[in-house]
Amino acid sequence: MSGGFEGKVVWITGASGALGRASAERLAAAGATVIASSRRRETLPESERIVPLPLDVTSSAAADAAAQEIVARFGRLDGLVTSTNVPVFGDFLELDDAAWQQVIDAKLLGTVRLVRAALPHFIAAGKGSVVVLSGRGGIDPSPQHLPGSSVNAALILLVHGLGAVYGPKGVRVNAVSPGPIKSPRLDALNAAGTGKPSQTPIPGPGLPTDVADAVAFLLSDEARFITGANLFVDGGGRALP
Ligand SMILES: NC(=O)c1ccc[n+]([C@@H]2O[C@H](COP(=O)([O-])OP(=O)(O)OC[C@H]3O[C@@H](n4cnc5c(N)ncnc54)[C@H](OP(=O)(O)O)[C@@H]3O)[C@@H](O)[C@H]2O)c1
């Protein structure tokens, strides 16, 4: 798949991160106009086809306003990719409520807020596609990443439910669950001492572009009959004991 997104507008949050940025570049190369969001304007990608739009996903009002601004400015919204990450790692007994709350607010509720902001526009158009970045930890938890793993499990369930509810309205909702992907986040997880080697049947770690290809596929019309699904991009690692 190379093109396929000409004339389409895709909103990516967490776009300054390793996987969000790779997805933004992948979709822009395929012809999309990409609206790139995260909190800090200065770290967002920007190019002829990538338009930065700073946003903190912990605010529902800001998420709603951003969706409305995109539709007002570009005339349409075809896709949403949520790729927010909160790097909270550590032993269970060392992580307090505030640490858990941070992950739940930005990644779980952040995704809820973004989908809620974009859905009315998709429903009005009779079509739209959402890809939520979850993680393999959602079914195979990392001992040093239990807040993130728990939220990833919740997101897989959320996607499953949203796929069923909004399929009849023409809206597809899917998840991508990366395993170890070469990134600062993987370095931080390894530094926290996961207790588990990140071994994969296909030698890894994977690359951000591996995830971006999966995101682009699920977002595209080539995935027209796929919704509520969770696509692992983990080199087959979940199969290992
Ligand atoms: N990398 C991996 O190996 C891996 C493996 C499994 C799952 N995942 C999942 O894949 C997704 C992307 O991971 P990544 O490695 O690309 O993460 P990353 O490089 O740490 O990027 C995180 C992104 O989230 C943004 N962000 C954080 N809090 C935000 C907030 N309140 N509002 C708006 N944006 C916010 C950050 O930008 P600002 O700080 O500027 O806001 C940044 O753009 C995450 O959901 C992660 O859990 C990654």
Side-chain angles (χ1 to χ4, degrees), residues 16-19 39-40 56-57 83-85 107 181 183 185:
S16 64
L19 309 190
R39 287 168 299 184
R40 284 168 298 149
D56 186 336
V57 301
S83 187
T84 306
N85 177 51
K107 190 163 177 185
I181 303 295
S183 62
R185 180 191 173 282

Side-chain angles (χ1 to χ4, degrees), residues 11 53 60-77 116-118 120-121:
W11 184 19
L53 178 66
S60 278
D64 291 344
Q68 281 163 17
E69 183 181 336
I70 292 166
V71 173
R73 191 164 156 200
F74 298 94
R76 59 191 293 161
L77 179 60
R116 209 167 44 202
H121 303 287

Side-chain angles (χ1 to χ4, degrees), residues 197-221:
S198 356
Q199 285 173 346
T200 50
I202 297 173
L207 300 174
T209 48
D210 296 323
V211 176
D213 285 341
V215 167
F217 167 66
L218 286 174
L219 214 57
S220 78
D221 292 342

Side-chain angles (χ1 to χ4, degrees), residues 3-22:
F5 285 88
E6 291 81 4
K8 295 198 171 175
V9 175
V10 177
W11 184 19
I12 301 187
T13 61
S16 64
L19 309 190
R21 179 181 293 267

Side-chain angles (χ1 to χ4, degrees), residues 22-237:
S23 298
E25 288 168 355
R26 173 71 179 78
L27 289 160
T33 296
V34 175
I35 315 306
S37 291
S38 68
R39 287 168 299 184
R40 284 168 298 149
R41 167 71 179 80
E42 65 276 14
T43 57
L44 282 168
E46 182 168 11
S47 71
E48 197 184 331
R49 288 194 175 280
I50 302 179
V51 181
L53 178 66
L55 169 69
D56 186 336
V57 301
T58 61
S59 163
S60 278
D64 291 344
Q68 281 163 17
E69 183 181 336
I70 292 166
V71 173
R73 191 164 156 200
F74 298 94
R76 59 191 293 161
L77 179 60
D78 301 278
L80 168 69
V81 179
T82 69
S83 187
T84 306
N85 177 51
V86 182
V88 169
F89 305 112
D91 289 340
F92 176 73
L93 286 174
E94 287 169 4
L95 298 175
D96 59 11
D97 282 7
W100 278 81
Q101 199 59 51
Q102 213 189 328
V103 182
I104 291 167
D105 197 17
K107 190 163 177 185
L108 177 56
L109 279 175
T111 301
V112 167
R113 293 181 188 108
L114 292 162
V115 175
R116 209 167 44 202
L119 257 176
H121 303 287
F122 294 149
I123 292 169
K127 59 186 166 60
S129 180
V130 179
V131 177
V132 171
L133 266 291
S134 175
R136 193 181 86 193
I139 58 142
D140 180 17
S142 309
Q144 297 291 318
H145 189 41
L146 288 176
S149 295
S150 302
V151 162
N152 285 341
L155 287 174
I156 291 167
L157 199 74
L158 177 72
V159 159
H160 194 164
L162 289 174
V165 175
Y166 292 102
K169 307 263 185 209
V171 183
R172 297 185 300 103
V173 185
N174 291 291
V176 167
S177 286
I181 303 295
K182 194 170 167 45
S183 62
R185 180 191 173 282
L186 179 63
D187 295 340
L189 183 61
N190 287 337
T194 60
K196 281 179 165 182
S198 356
Q199 285 173 346
T200 50
I202 297 173
L207 300 174
T209 48
D210 296 323
V211 176
D213 285 341
V215 167
F217 167 66
L218 286 174
L219 214 57
S220 78
D221 292 342
E222 291 175 10
R224 57 171 288 278
F225 201 51
I226 302 175
T227 195
N230 177 30
L231 177 55
F232 290 99
V233 183
D234 69 343

